[in-house]
Amino acid sequence: MPRRAHLTTARFISYIIFCVISMPFIWIRPHRLQWFLNSTSLVALVFYIALLIWALTTMGPSGFGSTITEDKPNPPSGPNSTAWVMVSGIIATVGSIAAGILNQNDYTRLARSPRDAKWGQIIAYPIYSIGTSIIGILVVAATQDRLGKEHWFLPGLLARIVRRNPTPGARAGVFFSGLALTFSQLGSNVLGNALAGGIDLAAVFPRFLNIRRGAYITAIVSPIVNPWRMVDTATIFISVMSGYGVFLAPMTGMMVASYYIVQRQKLDVDDLFRGNSSSKYWYSSGVNWRAPIAWAIGVGPCLPGFVASVNSSVNVPDSIRELYMTNYLYGFFASGLVYVALHTAFPARAVDEFVKNNLSAAEVQQYYGERWDVSLSEAGQMVEEIPEKDEQRGERSRPGGQETYQASATDGGLIQRHLS
């Protein structure tokens, strides 16, 4: 492999082997992967605790390196000041899970109840994120002096250990460490990359793709983006993580604003699955033009700072760099607010009528919860019976043709009769 590829032949072969190993797990349906995720999480937890114990017990008299002990003053103001460095670190951390925040509904919908999904994130994520950060800092500091430099890239740390001490014990330890990391990454890769892409592709092309096919397409085309370049150095890795926030935070902000403010937590679930003009959510020829405008306003101002963070030869004013350091907060709120403003100024008539009916959000959710909380076989039969809108009469028929009602704000009438 040429040097400009930023990848050795051995690492590229390892990448291909890892992709091949991932393929069988992509075949498993998402709702049947719980055992697999539990296993990868347990292996990762045991490995990181063992790594920390090894680093501290073998640290020797030299103690921690300058990662912890160095007291390097920062400028009192500007993007390199202590306050802005802390802000940048927080936003980069949030950016590193931006994809998970945006795609979480792909998996939280499989929870037994909304409460399960909430508690799993409120308790688990802070513990794991803070814990792994502390372990990472302590391991780097404990190995810094004896390895000659700080190694923030964990595979690089393991490779350095073998080069400096190529004993059978060290090689065995690194092998099992690599095995644990590989198994752990399988969980992240299958769910966070392959299946997430598969779910999106299946949503865009439901006539041609299901989740499994979309996941395999995602896996096959993934080498095109040269993913190994994203972890080439710690600086590039942090820039990539922050970059996720630049592009994904506006999407998340619009999703939150749409559900809680524009839709007021009231969704016509049947219409969500109608891919034609009879759906409330068809907007203008199937496109809600308000969304790309709001997204562009959330992304655009942060792009110069993002380019400067990736390419050091690009100079931008400090104010632009500081705006980029807050990219997730800015993108989330800017796009969300613009999305609400556009829907207020230019409301989608069908959606607006449904939202303003006399039913509360709880009543609408109860109706659709009871309507669709059924077995898979029953759901298949109900899908076949979902009535289509009669374009000429503007009416819909209930399954079996027993009742008709106007397809407008009075959609709540059928729901109200069902609840009563």
Side-chain angles (χ1 to χ4, degrees):
M1 302 289 285
R3 182 176 295 274
R4 66 177 181 274
H6 295 262
L7 187 70
T8 64
T9 303
R11 287 186 178 180
F12 183 72
I13 293 174
S14 299
Y15 170 78
I16 297 300
I17 293 174
F18 178 80
C19 289
V20 172
I21 294 174
S22 300
M23 291 298 179
F25 295 98
I26 297 175
W27 185 264
I28 304 173
R29 299 294 186 186
H31 60 279
R32 296 177 178 172
L33 280 170
Q34 187 64 51
W35 64 271
F36 177 59
L37 297 179
N38 290 342
S39 301
T40 58
S41 299
L42 179 61
V43 169
L45 178 63
V46 172
F47 164 71
Y48 282 116
I49 293 175
L51 179 68
L52 177 63
I53 293 173
W54 167 82
L56 295 179
T57 56
T58 60
M59 183 169 54
S62 60
F64 292 113
S66 59
T67 297
I68 289 181
T69 58
E70 184 178 12
D71 185 14
K72 184 179 180 180
N74 291 323
S77 61
N80 294 320
S81 64
T82 300
W84 277 110
V85 168
M86 293 177 65
V87 169
S88 177
I90 293 171
I91 296 300
T93 302
V94 177
S96 69
I97 60 168
I101 295 174
L102 181 65
N103 295 331
Q104 63 176 296
N105 47 33
D106 292 337
Y107 304 106
T108 55
R109 67 187 178 89
L110 302 175
R112 291 171 299 181
S113 70
R115 181 177 299 176
D116 289 346
K118 292 176 182 177
W119 283 114
Q121 296 176 76
I122 292 173
I123 296 176
Y125 179 71
I127 293 175
Y128 274 100
S129 62
I130 295 172
T132 51
S133 298
I134 293 174
I135 289 175
I137 293 170
L138 292 176
V139 169
V140 169
T143 58
Q144 183 175 358
D145 287 342
R146 54 179 152 152
L147 297 182
K149 59 176 290 188
E150 67 274 14
H151 287 273
W152 293 102
F153 184 49
L154 189 50
L157 170 66
L158 298 176
R160 182 75 171 180
I161 292 172
V162 172
R163 287 197 299 268
R164 289 182 64 90
N165 185 30
T167 63
R171 295 175 69 87
V174 169
F175 170 79
F176 286 109
S177 297
L179 196 62
L181 283 174
T182 300
F183 192 56
S184 172
Q185 286 299 305
L186 278 174
S188 300
N189 184 54
V190 170
L191 266 80
N193 298 324
L195 287 179
I199 291 170
D200 289 342
L201 287 175
V204 176
F205 306 106
R207 181 171 297 181
F208 307 102
L209 299 177
N210 57 20
I211 294 175
R212 182 180 287 162
R213 293 173 188 170
Y216 277 113
I217 291 175
T218 302
I220 291 171
V221 303
S222 62
I224 293 176
V225 299
N226 295 344
W228 48 86
R229 294 289 299 272
M230 299 180 184
V231 294
D232 190 42
T233 64
T235 303
I236 293 177
F237 180 73
I238 292 175
S239 297
V240 170
M241 292 298 98
S242 298
Y244 278 126
V246 172
F247 298 101
L248 300 186
M251 298 182 188
T252 309
M254 287 190 293
M255 287 175 62
V256 173
S258 175
Y259 182 68
Y260 285 102
I261 302 177
V262 176
Q263 310 286 352
R264 300 182 190 174
Q265 304 182 57
K266 297 163 69 172
L267 293 173
D268 185 330
V269 178
D270 293 344
D271 273 24
L272 289 175
F273 292 90
R274 287 193 175 92
N276 53 51
S277 58
S278 68
S279 170
K280 295 178 179 65
Y281 309 108
W282 188 246
Y283 297 104
S284 302
S285 301
V287 177
N288 183 1
W289 56 266
R290 304 157 191 81
I293 294 176
W295 181 81
I297 291 175
V299 172
C302 293
L303 281 180
F306 173 62
V307 173
S309 72
V310 177
N311 187 350
S312 58
S313 63
V314 176
N315 294 318
V316 295
D318 287 350
S319 58
I320 298 297
R321 291 181 60 191
E322 291 170 354
L323 176 63
Y324 167 70
M325 288 179 175
T326 64
N327 61 78
Y328 197 93
L329 288 176
Y330 168 78
F332 183 94
F333 288 106
S335 291
L337 291 173
V338 171
Y339 185 84
V340 172
L342 289 174
H343 266 279
T344 302
F346 308 98
R349 184 182 60 82
V351 173
D352 204 43
E353 289 177 348
F354 181 75
V355 170
K356 291 180 178 178
N357 64 33
N358 296 326
L359 294 172
S360 67
E363 289 173 326
V364 174
Q365 293 166 15
Q366 179 187 347
Y367 167 72
Y368 285 110
E370 294 175 355
R371 177 175 171 82
W372 290 109
D373 189 12
V374 295
S375 66
L376 290 177
S377 60
E378 292 173 316
Q381 182 179 359
M382 292 176 68
V383 168
E384 294 176 357
E385 293 177 347
I386 290 180
E388 291 296 330
K389 181 177 179 180
D390 186 326
E391 296 292 347
Q392 295 180 348
R393 294 192 304 159
E395 299 177 347
R396 296 189 193 144
S397 298
R398 293 194 66 183
Q402 299 173 357
E403 182 177 357
T404 61
Y405 68 103
Q406 294 297 321
S408 63
T410 56
D411 281 4
L414 177 60
I415 301 177
Q416 191 66 61
R417 287 193 291 276
H418 169 85
L419 294 174
S420 62

